[in-house]
Amino acid sequence: MLLKTYSSIIPIALSSALTAMANGFLASYLPSRMGINAIDPSRTSDFVAAFAIGMLCSCLFSAQIVKRVGHIRAFSVFACLSGIGALLLPTLESYAAWIVIRFINGYCGNSIFLVAQGWLNDQTESKYRGQILTTFYIIYLIGLGGGAYSVTFFDLDSLQPFMFATALYMLSVFPVALTKLPAPPPPMVTKIMIGRLWQMSPVALIGCFIGGATAMTMQGLGAVIGQKIGLDYTQIGFMMAIAQAGNLMQFPLGYLSDKVDRRYVLFICGTGLSIFGFIFGNLDANSFLFLVITIAFFIGLGEATLTIALANANDRADPDEYTSIAGTASLSWCLGAILGPIFGSFTIGTMGPKGISLFFVIISASFTIFTLWRCLKRETVSEEDHGDFYAAPAEIATSEVYMTEDSEEIQDAKS
């Protein structure tokens, strides 16, 4: 039965991997291309923020599109729009145009993963869901890392990179469009409950924000930082590809969070972010291997902070609140992903790479202190309310906003 389940989700996983590959490719390639287009590389943060704002709007509004036309058509539209955006990048080589296109890429990219995750939840029995989601996550990472590394195979000042990204987006439509899988019922439209999440778990709300402000900032500005410390584009592509392996840290940290108070693990994550953020500011091109390892750990801890924080919130929530909690967590993460690159870029411009290191240390240490204070002030949840954790990237971790009304996710979403 498990083998049949795995075979049934291949089209969804393959389509999502192709879009992840395109997203990873553009994230690593565009900062290098900006110099060729006479766009100040320090403005990369604006494009990262535009991408994150697109993701935020996706969480709020894309469910209505899926509800109107269905999962397959919505997936196809989102993928095609992403491809058109990639194709327009070399045609409209201006700051304003790229801001709009990166917003579209963020909106469509996040919508694609939300559609895929909602589809997986509907197609998978609850007893297999953890294994399926973990497999899907690994495929996602392979696509993301493979896309980042693919930069090394292209001439930066040619049109080939844009054509490659466009082809990946367009190819992603085929597995989904040709699948025999039945489409799931329309998703529910969630509501945002910031006050309720703060009341249940302030650590969870802030943790999601820190996850976006750290991991997304490093993902978005990593290429710019690499340029400033003297790395060539081949090294940058390799660095950003291997750094995705850091996301695998979610598995041991998630397992630990199932055994102890999740806030203790969030304290560990905050401490680790502070340490690796500090180390990062003291490395250069001569310490390339150590730099790659440091970035991988930093990104992994940032992503783990989001997913463990969301699991901590679900431990304290009622079953009918899971979708709203996921939507609110996504909002918090997106705000961090918007503000983090902006402030990070400002510190790079004023203080160089050591400036963003200081930024990482300040926000991470502040979260660590706050988490410790909450651990001392409030007791842990009871064992029966302590749900199971599963690792996921930001797009997947918050995708309960795409649950369907008759989905089993309401009953077993305590993750």
Side-chain angles (χ1 to χ4, degrees):
M1 183 62 184
L2 179 58
L3 183 61
K4 182 179 179 181
T5 303
Y6 270 110
S7 62
S8 67
I9 61 99
I10 287 176
I12 304 172
L14 181 57
S15 290
S16 300
L18 288 169
T19 56
M21 191 172 182
N23 289 337
F25 177 83
L26 288 177
S28 293
Y29 170 67
L30 291 181
S32 299
R33 178 76 182 199
M34 288 170 62
I36 299 174
N37 293 352
I39 300 176
D40 185 356
S42 65
R43 308 195 78 169
T44 300
S45 63
D46 299 343
F47 301 123
V48 178
F51 190 89
I53 293 173
M55 293 178 66
L56 173 61
C57 292
S58 166
C59 294
L60 298 176
F61 305 116
S62 61
Q64 288 88 332
I65 297 177
V66 180
K67 202 167 187 176
R68 179 180 177 85
V69 302
H71 286 67
I72 295 177
R73 290 176 179 171
F75 189 105
S76 302
V77 167
F78 295 140
C80 289
L81 280 176
S82 296
I84 292 171
L87 203 57
L88 287 176
L89 284 170
T91 306
L92 306 173
E93 294 185 324
S94 69
Y95 171 79
W98 278 32
I99 286 287
V100 174
I101 293 172
R102 289 308 282 164
F103 169 84
I104 294 173
N105 287 152
Y107 181 92
C108 294
N110 193 57
S111 298
I112 285 170
F113 286 107
L114 292 176
V115 170
Q117 177 68 1
W119 209 338
L120 286 175
N121 281 330
D122 183 76
Q123 293 294 319
T124 309
E125 294 182 36
S126 58
K127 61 182 178 180
Y128 300 134
R129 185 166 291 131
Q131 299 175 60
I132 294 297
L133 291 176
T134 299
T135 302
F136 181 64
Y137 178 38
I138 293 173
I139 294 173
Y140 166 90
L141 287 180
I142 292 173
L144 195 64
Y149 186 69
S150 297
V151 173
T152 62
F153 300 113
F154 292 94
D155 181 6
L156 290 183
D157 59 356
S158 71
L159 293 177
Q160 291 179 350
F162 299 104
M163 295 170 65
F164 176 69
T166 301
L168 290 174
Y169 283 124
M170 297 306 179
L171 284 173
S172 71
V173 175
F174 285 86
V176 165
L178 297 176
T179 183
K180 295 181 180 180
L181 288 176
M188 296 183 295
V189 178
T190 188
K191 59 181 180 179
I192 304 300
M193 304 192 308
I194 296 177
R196 174 59 178 151
L197 181 54
W198 176 264
Q199 180 185 29
M200 285 190 300
S201 178
V203 170
L205 182 63
I206 296 178
C208 293
F209 178 88
I210 294 297
T214 53
M216 191 66 173
T217 300
M218 184 64 83
Q219 294 269 25
L221 301 182
V224 174
I225 299 169
Q227 288 178 324
K228 286 191 172 291
I229 64 176
L231 301 181
D232 59 40
Y233 79 96
T234 301
Q235 290 175 307
I236 291 173
F238 178 82
M239 177 181 72
M240 298 310 296
I242 299 301
Q244 305 309 320
N247 287 286
L248 298 176
M249 291 181 62
Q250 292 189 63
F251 294 103
L253 289 172
Y255 177 81
L256 179 61
S257 75
D258 284 340
K259 305 301 179 183
V260 301
D261 189 332
R262 297 197 201 276
R263 294 173 300 176
Y264 297 159
V265 184
L266 288 171
F267 175 83
I268 294 173
C269 290
T271 303
L273 285 169
S274 302
I275 294 172
F276 285 105
F278 174 78
I279 294 174
F280 171 74
N282 292 279
L283 299 175
D284 55 26
N286 296 322
S287 309
F288 179 66
L289 181 59
F290 198 28
L291 177 67
V292 172
I293 295 173
T294 299
I295 292 178
F297 272 97
F298 187 87
I299 290 176
L301 287 167
E303 294 283 5
T305 299
L306 164 69
T307 48
I308 295 172
L310 179 57
N312 184 63
N314 281 337
D315 289 343
R316 301 176 183 275
D318 296 327
D320 60 353
E321 294 178 315
Y322 292 147
T323 53
S324 294
I325 292 302
T328 307
S330 181
L331 172 64
S332 180
W333 182 89
C334 286
L335 289 176
I338 294 168
L339 296 177
I342 293 175
F343 283 102
S345 181
F346 173 77
T347 59
I348 293 176
T350 56
M351 302 172 62
K354 288 186 180 296
I356 197 169
S357 174
L358 178 62
F359 167 73
F360 286 145
V361 170
I362 290 175
I363 63 173
S364 301
S366 299
F367 173 66
T368 303
I369 294 171
F370 178 75
T371 301
L372 178 61
W373 175 65
R374 292 298 302 177
C375 288
L376 297 174
K377 185 174 180 180
R378 186 179 185 184
E379 63 183 16
T380 185
V381 297
S382 60
E383 186 173 348
E384 57 268 22
D385 290 332
H386 204 70
D388 295 327
F389 171 92
Y390 69 85
E395 296 92 338
I396 299 175
T398 55
S399 63
E400 287 172 22
V401 296
Y402 263 48
M403 284 163 45
T404 58
E405 294 182 3
D406 53 351
S407 172
E408 295 176 325
E409 191 72 6
I410 290 289
Q411 283 72 35
D412 27 53
K414 278 199 173 183
S415 46

